[in-house]
Amino acid sequence: MSASTTQSGRGAARRRALTGRAIFAGPGLLYITLFMTIPVLLVLVYSFFQRGRFGGIVWEFTLENYVRAFEPVYLNVLSNSLVIAGTTTVFALVIGYPTAYAITRLPKRWRTVALVLVVLPFWTNFLIRTYAWIVLLNSEGPINSSLVDAGIISAPIGLLYTPGAVIVGLVYAYLPLVILPVYASIERLDRQLIEAASNLGASRVRAFFDVTLPLTLPGVMIGAIFVFVPSLGNFVVPELLGGGKTVMVGNLIRDQFLEARDWPFGAVLALFVISLLVILFAIQAAISRRINGTGKRYAAKQVTHA
Amino acid sequence: MTLDSTNAPLLRVSSVSKAYGDVVALDDVNIEIQQNEFFALLGPSGCGKTTLLRSIAGFEDPDAGAITILGAGSGAGEGEQIDLLSLPPNKRPVNLMFQSYALFPHMNVRKNIAYGLEREGLGKDEIAERVNEVLITTGLTDKADVRPAQLSGGQRQRVALARAIVKRPRLLLLDEPLSALDRKVRAEMQIELKRLQHEVGITFVVVTHDQEEAMSMADRIAVMHEGRVQQIADPVTLYSQPANVFVADFIGTGSLLRGIVANAVLLLRPESVHISADLAGAQLQGEVVETHFFGGSSTTSVRVAEMETLIVASHPGAPKFAVGERVGISWNADDAILLEDQP
Ligand SMILES: Nc1ncnc2c1ncn2[C@@H]1O[C@H](COP(=O)(O)OP(=O)(O)O)[C@@H](O)[C@H]1O
Ligand SMILES: [Mg+2]
C-alpha cells in the first residue's frame, strides 16, 4: 500500500469515526437543542421586549422588565423563595446525608433494596403525594389529633398553609435527589482513607469530619443543587400546602405566563432561576476540582491490591 | 543494630485465627517480634499477610488468639504486655502503611504528614519541626505543598512512609510497600527502607510476596502459606535449613527430588550440584535441556529420566556443556537437604 492511499484511508477512517460519533451523540444533541437551548434563548429574547395586551410579545426593545424585578414586592418574593428553598436544602441534607451514609453501611444486597425504597415515592403521582400531606397536616389530621391525644397541645394547631408546611412538602418531594448523589459519593470513597485517619489517631467523629465529609462534598453539592433549584421553581407545593399565602418565584413565574399574561416579565424571573442554577453548578465544579487536587481523578491512580 | 533476645518481645501474636466464611485467612498464627527488628512476613498472594497486619492495626477482629505489645517507656505499664485487641485502632501504638498508600487526596504532602501529629495534640511549632525533619529524611522537601495526585508512585510511597514514621510508633507495619513500584525504583527503595529503619530506630514489619525482597531486607522472616506460619528464621537459615517442602520451594531456587531417599524429598540448591562428563562416578545421569549464561556465571538444567523435576546446577564462567549432551550429576551428602514428604 502506498503512502498516499494509507493517508486517504486514514482520513476516511477518521471521517467514519466522526460520523459514528455523530450518530450516537445526535439524538441527545438534537434533544438538548430543541428542548433546552432554544427555549432558554427564547426566554432570553422575550425578556428584552414588551408584553402584548393579551399575552404574547410586542417587539419593542426595553429594559423595563429587569427594572421591575427590583421592585420591593418582587424582591420580597425572591428573598422569601431563597429562604424557603435554602431551608428546604438544609433540612434535606441533614436528613439525607445520614440516610445515604447508613445505606452504604448495609450489606451489599440490602443496599439495592434500600435504594429502591428511596426512589419508590417517585413512582406515584406527585400531586397525590402532596395531597397526602394535606391530609396529614390539616387540623383534623393524624398529626394534630395524636398531639392532642398525647396532651402535648390542647387544641389543634395550624400546621397546614404555613411556610413550614411548604418546607415539609418540598423536603419530602426532593429528598431522594439528595440521597442518591450523596450515596454515590460515599460509596465511591476509599474506605482505607478512613482507616488511615483512624490509624493516625483520629476518632471516628474526627475521621468523618476530616476525611469523609470533605471528600463527599462534591456529591453533597450536587444533592443540594438538585433540591435547591427545583424547590425555588416549584409552584404546586406552595399553592397546595402554603395555601397561596406563601408566594415563591415558581408561583410568580407561572402567574406571569398563565394569568397576568406578562411573558417578558415572566422571562426575566425565569432567567433569574436559570442563572442561579448555572452559578451553583460552576461553584460545585470548582469545589470538586479543589478537593481532588489538580482536577485529575485521584481514584484512577489508586493501586489495586495484591 | 543489636537484637537483645534476653528482653521480652515487642509484639507477641499468640494463636491468632481468623476466617471469612469458609476461607481461613489466619490459622493459629504465633509470631514474636523483637525490638528494633526488621521483620518480614513472606508468602504468596492470599496467604493472610494483610489480614494479620490489619488485625494488629485494629481493622480486623481475630476470631481467636491474643496480640500484645510491650508497654512503652517509663511509668505504668513499662515492661508489661499490653492487650492490643482491647484497644480501638486510633489508640494503638502501631502505624500501618497501607498497600495502596491511602494518602488523603484533599491535603497536600505537608498536611498528610502532619495529620497524625495533630491528632496527638502536639503544639504547632513541634509539629512543623518534626514534619520538616521527616520531609528531609524522605527527600520530599520540595514536594511539601503538592497534592498526592501530582506525585509519582515512588514519591507517594515516600509520603505514606513519612506520614507513618513521623508518629515515631513503636512498631511500623508496611503492607507490600514496594509492590506498586517498578523494578528499578523498587531496588532503590529497598535500600532506602533499610537505611530509614536504622536511622529512626523503629521496629519494622514488612509484608511482601517477593522472596528476594524479604531476604535482602529482613533480619528475620516468617514464611506463610494458607494462613499458617511455615517457618520463622533468619534468611540464611531459611535458605539452608527450610522446615518443609513449601519453604524449600518458595525460598531461593533448587530442585526437589523425590524417589532418591525413601519417604523423603531431597533438596539440591544449584550451587551444590556438580555436573561432569564422568557418567560412571556420578550419582545420577541425565541430558542437558537448557543453559543460561549470566556473564559471571551460568546455570545448566538437566533432565534425569523418570524424574519430573529438572536438576539445575550453577557454576562460575560459561556453560560447560551443550544442550543434548549426557552428563553425570553429583553432590556432597552434606549439601543435600532432606525434607519430610508432604502430600
Ligand atoms: N474482607 C474479606 N472478606 C472475605 N475474604 C477475605 C477478606 N479479606 C481477605 N479475605 C480472604 O482471606 C485470605 C487472605 O487474604 P489477605 O490477608 O488479603 O492475603 P495476602 O495479603 O497475603 O495476599 C484470602 O483468601 C482472601 O480472599
Ligand atoms: Mg495483601
Side-chain angles (χ1 to χ4, degrees), chain A residues 274-291:
Chain A
I274 294 169
S275 341
L276 207 61
L277 177 68
V278 172
I279 292 169
L280 288 175
F281 269 116
I283 294 174
Q284 193 276 340
I287 288 181
S288 311
R289 252 199 316 278
R290 255 194 73 79
I291 284 169

mmCIF file with all atom_site columns, all heavy atoms in Angstrom, chain A residues 274-291:
data_model
loop_
_atom_site.group_PDB
_atom_site.id
_atom_site.type_symbol
_atom_site.label_atom_id
_atom_site.label_alt_id
_atom_site.label_comp_id
_atom_site.label_asym_id
_atom_site.label_entity_id
_atom_site.label_seq_id
_atom_site.pdbx_PDB_ins_code
_atom_site.Cartn_x
_atom_site.Cartn_y
_atom_site.Cartn_z
_atom_site.occupancy
_atom_site.B_iso_or_equiv
_atom_site.pdbx_formal_charge
_atom_site.auth_seq_id
_atom_site.auth_comp_id
_atom_site.auth_asym_id
_atom_site.auth_atom_id
_atom_site.pdbx_PDB_model_num
ATOM 1   N N   . ILE A 1 274 ? -32.597 30.336 36.197 1.00 0.00 ? 274 ILE A N   1
ATOM 2   C CA  . ILE A 1 274 ? -31.626 29.628 35.347 1.00 0.00 ? 274 ILE A CA  1
ATOM 3   C C   . ILE A 1 274 ? -30.199 30.070 35.670 1.00 0.00 ? 274 ILE A C   1
ATOM 4   O O   . ILE A 1 274 ? -29.291 29.241 35.795 1.00 0.00 ? 274 ILE A O   1
ATOM 5   C CB  . ILE A 1 274 ? -31.947 29.872 33.855 1.00 0.00 ? 274 ILE A CB  1
ATOM 6   C CG1 . ILE A 1 274 ? -33.287 29.233 33.499 1.00 0.00 ? 274 ILE A CG1 1
ATOM 7   C CG2 . ILE A 1 274 ? -30.837 29.306 32.965 1.00 0.00 ? 274 ILE A CG2 1
ATOM 8   C CD1 . ILE A 1 274 ? -33.824 29.629 32.135 1.00 0.00 ? 274 ILE A CD1 1
ATOM 9   N N   . SER A 1 275 ? -30.002 31.404 35.834 1.00 0.00 ? 275 SER A N   1
ATOM 10  C CA  . SER A 1 275 ? -28.638 31.874 36.113 1.00 0.00 ? 275 SER A CA  1
ATOM 11  C C   . SER A 1 275 ? -28.153 31.334 37.451 1.00 0.00 ? 275 SER A C   1
ATOM 12  O O   . SER A 1 275 ? -26.983 30.977 37.611 1.00 0.00 ? 275 SER A O   1
ATOM 13  C CB  . SER A 1 275 ? -28.529 33.398 36.144 1.00 0.00 ? 275 SER A CB  1
ATOM 14  O OG  . SER A 1 275 ? -29.597 33.990 35.518 1.00 0.00 ? 275 SER A OG  1
ATOM 15  N N   . LEU A 1 276 ? -29.062 31.291 38.412 1.00 0.00 ? 276 LEU A N   1
ATOM 16  C CA  . LEU A 1 276 ? -28.705 30.758 39.723 1.00 0.00 ? 276 LEU A CA  1
ATOM 17  C C   . LEU A 1 276 ? -28.196 29.325 39.576 1.00 0.00 ? 276 LEU A C   1
ATOM 18  O O   . LEU A 1 276 ? -27.185 28.930 40.154 1.00 0.00 ? 276 LEU A O   1
ATOM 19  C CB  . LEU A 1 276 ? -29.937 30.791 40.624 1.00 0.00 ? 276 LEU A CB  1
ATOM 20  C CG  . LEU A 1 276 ? -29.660 30.902 42.112 1.00 0.00 ? 276 LEU A CG  1
ATOM 21  C CD1 . LEU A 1 276 ? -28.913 32.185 42.416 1.00 0.00 ? 276 LEU A CD1 1
ATOM 22  C CD2 . LEU A 1 276 ? -30.959 30.861 42.890 1.00 0.00 ? 276 LEU A CD2 1
ATOM 23  N N   . LEU A 1 277 ? -28.904 28.558 38.755 1.00 0.00 ? 277 LEU A N   1
ATOM 24  C CA  . LEU A 1 277 ? -28.531 27.159 38.508 1.00 0.00 ? 277 LEU A CA  1
ATOM 25  C C   . LEU A 1 277 ? -27.111 27.067 37.933 1.00 0.00 ? 277 LEU A C   1
ATOM 26  O O   . LEU A 1 277 ? -26.283 26.291 38.398 1.00 0.00 ? 277 LEU A O   1
ATOM 27  C CB  . LEU A 1 277 ? -29.544 26.541 37.541 1.00 0.00 ? 277 LEU A CB  1
ATOM 28  C CG  . LEU A 1 277 ? -29.285 25.108 37.102 1.00 0.00 ? 277 LEU A CG  1
ATOM 29  C CD1 . LEU A 1 277 ? -29.471 24.180 38.278 1.00 0.00 ? 277 LEU A CD1 1
ATOM 30  C CD2 . LEU A 1 277 ? -30.226 24.722 35.966 1.00 0.00 ? 277 LEU A CD2 1
ATOM 31  N N   . VAL A 1 278 ? -26.869 27.928 36.928 1.00 0.00 ? 278 VAL A N   1
ATOM 32  C CA  . VAL A 1 278 ? -25.549 27.898 36.278 1.00 0.00 ? 278 VAL A CA  1
ATOM 33  C C   . VAL A 1 278 ? -24.459 28.254 37.285 1.00 0.00 ? 278 VAL A C   1
ATOM 34  O O   . VAL A 1 278 ? -23.420 27.589 37.380 1.00 0.00 ? 278 VAL A O   1
ATOM 35  C CB  . VAL A 1 278 ? -25.526 28.866 35.074 1.00 0.00 ? 278 VAL A CB  1
ATOM 36  C CG1 . VAL A 1 278 ? -24.116 28.998 34.519 1.00 0.00 ? 278 VAL A CG1 1
ATOM 37  C CG2 . VAL A 1 278 ? -26.494 28.384 34.010 1.00 0.00 ? 278 VAL A CG2 1
ATOM 38  N N   . ILE A 1 279 ? -24.717 29.306 38.074 1.00 0.00 ? 279 ILE A N   1
ATOM 39  C CA  . ILE A 1 279 ? -23.711 29.743 39.062 1.00 0.00 ? 279 ILE A CA  1
ATOM 40  C C   . ILE A 1 279 ? -23.440 28.621 40.065 1.00 0.00 ? 279 ILE A C   1
ATOM 41  O O   . ILE A 1 279 ? -22.293 28.313 40.386 1.00 0.00 ? 279 ILE A O   1
ATOM 42  C CB  . ILE A 1 279 ? -24.199 31.015 39.791 1.00 0.00 ? 279 ILE A CB  1
ATOM 43  C CG1 . ILE A 1 279 ? -24.219 32.192 38.807 1.00 0.00 ? 279 ILE A CG1 1
ATOM 44  C CG2 . ILE A 1 279 ? -23.296 31.338 40.977 1.00 0.00 ? 279 ILE A CG2 1
ATOM 45  C CD1 . ILE A 1 279 ? -24.926 33.423 39.347 1.00 0.00 ? 279 ILE A CD1 1
ATOM 46  N N   . LEU A 1 280 ? -24.507 27.975 40.536 1.00 0.00 ? 280 LEU A N   1
ATOM 47  C CA  . LEU A 1 280 ? -24.334 26.920 41.529 1.00 0.00 ? 280 LEU A CA  1
ATOM 48  C C   . LEU A 1 280 ? -23.522 25.759 40.969 1.00 0.00 ? 280 LEU A C   1
ATOM 49  O O   . LEU A 1 280 ? -22.649 25.215 41.638 1.00 0.00 ? 280 LEU A O   1
ATOM 50  C CB  . LEU A 1 280 ? -25.697 26.428 42.014 1.00 0.00 ? 280 LEU A CB  1
ATOM 51  C CG  . LEU A 1 280 ? -26.449 27.407 42.903 1.00 0.00 ? 280 LEU A CG  1
ATOM 52  C CD1 . LEU A 1 280 ? -27.839 26.881 43.239 1.00 0.00 ? 280 LEU A CD1 1
ATOM 53  C CD2 . LEU A 1 280 ? -25.661 27.683 44.172 1.00 0.00 ? 280 LEU A CD2 1
ATOM 54  N N   . PHE A 1 281 ? -23.780 25.396 39.718 1.00 0.00 ? 281 PHE A N   1
ATOM 55  C CA  . PHE A 1 281 ? -23.010 24.294 39.124 1.00 0.00 ? 281 PHE A CA  1
ATOM 56  C C   . PHE A 1 281 ? -21.541 24.676 38.952 1.00 0.00 ? 281 PHE A C   1
ATOM 57  O O   . PHE A 1 281 ? -20.648 23.841 39.116 1.00 0.00 ? 281 PHE A O   1
ATOM 58  C CB  . PHE A 1 281 ? -23.610 23.856 37.786 1.00 0.00 ? 281 PHE A CB  1
ATOM 59  C CG  . PHE A 1 281 ? -24.628 22.762 37.947 1.00 0.00 ? 281 PHE A CG  1
ATOM 60  C CD1 . PHE A 1 281 ? -25.954 22.957 37.610 1.00 0.00 ? 281 PHE A CD1 1
ATOM 61  C CD2 . PHE A 1 281 ? -24.253 21.524 38.477 1.00 0.00 ? 281 PHE A CD2 1
ATOM 62  C CE1 . PHE A 1 281 ? -26.898 21.951 37.777 1.00 0.00 ? 281 PHE A CE1 1
ATOM 63  C CE2 . PHE A 1 281 ? -25.183 20.518 38.650 1.00 0.00 ? 281 PHE A CE2 1
ATOM 64  C CZ  . PHE A 1 281 ? -26.507 20.731 38.301 1.00 0.00 ? 281 PHE A CZ  1
ATOM 65  N N   . ALA A 1 282 ? -21.309 25.964 38.631 1.00 0.00 ? 282 ALA A N   1
ATOM 66  C CA  . ALA A 1 282 ? -19.921 26.413 38.490 1.00 0.00 ? 282 ALA A CA  1
ATOM 67  C C   . ALA A 1 282 ? -19.210 26.289 39.836 1.00 0.00 ? 282 ALA A C   1
ATOM 68  O O   . ALA A 1 282 ? -18.064 25.832 39.918 1.00 0.00 ? 282 ALA A O   1
ATOM 69  C CB  . ALA A 1 282 ? -19.888 27.852 37.986 1.00 0.00 ? 282 ALA A CB  1
ATOM 70  N N   . ILE A 1 283 ? -19.900 26.680 40.907 1.00 0.00 ? 283 ILE A N   1
ATOM 71  C CA  . ILE A 1 283 ? -19.304 26.579 42.247 1.00 0.00 ? 283 ILE A CA  1
ATOM 72  C C   . ILE A 1 283 ? -19.026 25.115 42.577 1.00 0.00 ? 283 ILE A C   1
ATOM 73  O O   . ILE A 1 283 ? -17.957 24.759 43.081 1.00 0.00 ? 283 ILE A O   1
ATOM 74  C CB  . ILE A 1 283 ? -20.244 27.194 43.305 1.00 0.00 ? 283 ILE A CB  1
ATOM 75  C CG1 . ILE A 1 283 ? -20.364 28.702 43.076 1.00 0.00 ? 283 ILE A CG1 1
ATOM 76  C CG2 . ILE A 1 283 ? -19.731 26.908 44.716 1.00 0.00 ? 283 ILE A CG2 1
ATOM 77  C CD1 . ILE A 1 283 ? -21.388 29.371 43.979 1.00 0.00 ? 283 ILE A CD1 1
ATOM 78  N N   . GLN A 1 284 ? -19.981 24.255 42.256 1.00 0.00 ? 284 GLN A N   1
ATOM 79  C CA  . GLN A 1 284 ? -19.818 22.821 42.533 1.00 0.00 ? 284 GLN A CA  1
ATOM 80  C C   . GLN A 1 284 ? -18.589 22.276 41.826 1.00 0.00 ? 284 GLN A C   1
ATOM 81  O O   . GLN A 1 284 ? -17.771 21.561 42.414 1.00 0.00 ? 284 GLN A O   1
ATOM 82  C CB  . GLN A 1 284 ? -21.080 22.075 42.078 1.00 0.00 ? 284 GLN A CB  1
ATOM 83  C CG  . GLN A 1 284 ? -21.180 20.637 42.577 1.00 0.00 ? 284 GLN A CG  1
ATOM 84  C CD  . GLN A 1 284 ? -20.432 19.657 41.705 1.00 0.00 ? 284 GLN A CD  1
ATOM 85  O OE1 . GLN A 1 284 ? -20.133 19.942 40.555 1.00 0.00 ? 284 GLN A OE1 1
ATOM 86  N NE2 . GLN A 1 284 ? -20.100 18.505 42.273 1.00 0.00 ? 284 GLN A NE2 1
ATOM 87  N N   . ALA A 1 285 ? -18.452 22.660 40.540 1.00 0.00 ? 285 ALA A N   1
ATOM 88  C CA  . ALA A 1 285 ? -17.309 22.158 39.757 1.00 0.00 ? 285 ALA A CA  1
ATOM 89  C C   . ALA A 1 285 ? -16.000 22.641 40.368 1.00 0.00 ? 285 ALA A C   1
ATOM 90  O O   . ALA A 1 285 ? -15.030 21.885 40.481 1.00 0.00 ? 285 ALA A O   1
ATOM 91  C CB  . ALA A 1 285 ? -17.431 22.626 38.308 1.00 0.00 ? 285 ALA A CB  1
ATOM 92  N N   . ALA A 1 286 ? -15.980 23.912 40.797 1.00 0.00 ? 286 ALA A N   1
ATOM 93  C CA  . ALA A 1 286 ? -14.761 24.473 41.386 1.00 0.00 ? 286 ALA A CA  1
ATOM 94  C C   . ALA A 1 286 ? -14.399 23.721 42.665 1.00 0.00 ? 286 ALA A C   1
ATOM 95  O O   . ALA A 1 286 ? -13.232 23.389 42.898 1.00 0.00 ? 286 ALA A O   1
ATOM 96  C CB  . ALA A 1 286 ? -14.954 25.955 41.677 1.00 0.00 ? 286 ALA A CB  1
ATOM 97  N N   . ILE A 1 287 ? -15.400 23.426 43.474 1.00 0.00 ? 287 ILE A N   1
ATOM 98  C CA  . ILE A 1 287 ? -15.138 22.716 44.731 1.00 0.00 ? 287 ILE A CA  1
ATOM 99  C C   . ILE A 1 287 ? -14.612 21.309 44.459 1.00 0.00 ? 287 ILE A C   1
ATOM 100 O O   . ILE A 1 287 ? -13.639 20.870 45.073 1.00 0.00 ? 287 ILE A O   1
ATOM 101 C CB  . ILE A 1 287 ? -16.410 22.680 45.601 1.00 0.00 ? 287 ILE A CB  1
ATOM 102 C CG1 . ILE A 1 287 ? -16.672 24.077 46.163 1.00 0.00 ? 287 ILE A CG1 1
ATOM 103 C CG2 . ILE A 1 287 ? -16.268 21.674 46.740 1.00 0.00 ? 287 ILE A CG2 1
ATOM 104 C CD1 . ILE A 1 287 ? -17.881 24.171 47.061 1.00 0.00 ? 287 ILE A CD1 1
ATOM 105 N N   . SER A 1 288 ? -15.232 20.599 43.514 1.00 0.00 ? 288 SER A N   1
ATOM 106 C CA  . SER A 1 288 ? -14.753 19.247 43.188 1.00 0.00 ? 288 SER A CA  1
ATOM 107 C C   . SER A 1 288 ? -13.296 19.291 42.758 1.00 0.00 ? 288 SER A C   1
ATOM 108 O O   . SER A 1 288 ? -12.504 18.440 43.140 1.00 0.00 ? 288 SER A O   1
ATOM 109 C CB  . SER A 1 288 ? -15.540 18.626 42.047 1.00 0.00 ? 288 SER A CB  1
ATOM 110 O OG  . SER A 1 288 ? -16.888 18.758 42.261 1.00 0.00 ? 288 SER A OG  1
ATOM 111 N N   . ARG A 1 289 ? -12.974 20.285 41.922 1.00 0.00 ? 289 ARG A N   1
ATOM 112 C CA  . ARG A 1 289 ? -11.599 20.381 41.445 1.00 0.00 ? 289 ARG A CA  1
ATOM 113 C C   . ARG A 1 289 ? -10.645 20.607 42.604 1.00 0.00 ? 289 ARG A C   1
ATOM 114 O O   . ARG A 1 289 ? -9.599  19.991 42.688 1.00 0.00 ? 289 ARG A O   1
ATOM 115 C CB  . ARG A 1 289 ? -11.478 21.515 40.427 1.00 0.00 ? 289 ARG A CB  1
ATOM 116 C CG  . ARG A 1 289 ? -11.303 21.029 39.008 1.00 0.00 ? 289 ARG A CG  1
ATOM 117 C CD  . ARG A 1 289 ? -10.731 22.111 38.103 1.00 0.00 ? 289 ARG A CD  1
ATOM 118 N NE  . ARG A 1 289 ? -11.359 23.410 38.311 1.00 0.00 ? 289 ARG A NE  1
ATOM 119 C CZ  . ARG A 1 289 ? -12.515 23.770 37.758 1.00 0.00 ? 289 ARG A CZ  1
ATOM 120 N NH1 . ARG A 1 289 ? -13.157 22.949 36.985 1.00 0.00 ? 289 ARG A NH1 1
ATOM 121 N NH2 . ARG A 1 289 ? -13.009 24.963 37.980 1.00 0.00 ? 289 ARG A NH2 1
ATOM 122 N N   . ARG A 1 290 ? -11.018 21.495 43.496 1.00 0.00 ? 290 ARG A N   1
ATOM 123 C CA  . ARG A 1 290 ? -10.165 21.793 44.651 1.00 0.00 ? 290 ARG A CA  1
ATOM 124 C C   . ARG A 1 290 ? -9.912  20.537 45.478 1.00 0.00 ? 290 ARG A C   1
ATOM 125 O O   . ARG A 1 290 ? -8.804  20.273 45.908 1.00 0.00 ? 290 ARG A O   1
ATOM 126 C CB  . ARG A 1 290 ? -10.852 22.835 45.534 1.00 0.00 ? 290 ARG A CB  1
ATOM 127 C CG  . ARG A 1 290 ? -10.255 24.213 45.417 1.00 0.00 ? 290 ARG A CG  1
ATOM 128 C CD  . ARG A 1 290 ? -10.747 25.084 46.551 1.00 0.00 ? 290 ARG A CD  1
ATOM 129 N NE  . ARG A 1 290 ? -10.123 24.721 47.813 1.00 0.00 ? 290 ARG A NE  1
ATOM 130 C CZ  . ARG A 1 290 ? -8.883  25.096 48.156 1.00 0.00 ? 290 ARG A CZ  1
ATOM 131 N NH1 . ARG A 1 290 ? -8.183  25.830 47.338 1.00 0.00 ? 290 ARG A NH1 1
ATOM 132 N NH2 . ARG A 1 290 ? -8.377  24.734 49.315 1.00 0.00 ? 290 ARG A NH2 1
ATOM 133 N N   . ILE A 1 291 ? -10.983 19.776 45.713 1.00 0.00 ? 291 ILE A N   1
ATOM 134 C CA  . ILE A 1 291 ? -10.874 18.613 46.592 1.00 0.00 ? 291 ILE A CA  1
ATOM 135 C C   . ILE A 1 291 ? -10.031 17.519 45.964 1.00 0.00 ? 291 ILE A C   1
ATOM 136 O O   . ILE A 1 291 ? -9.265  16.841 46.630 1.00 0.00 ? 291 ILE A O   1
ATOM 137 C CB  . ILE A 1 291 ? -12.279 18.110 46.961 1.00 0.00 ? 291 ILE A CB  1
ATOM 138 C CG1 . ILE A 1 291 ? -12.869 19.061 47.997 1.00 0.00 ? 291 ILE A CG1 1
ATOM 139 C CG2 . ILE A 1 291 ? -12.246 16.684 47.498 1.00 0.00 ? 291 ILE A CG2 1
ATOM 140 C CD1 . ILE A 1 291 ? -14.307 18.867 48.270 1.00 0.00 ? 291 ILE A CD1 1
#
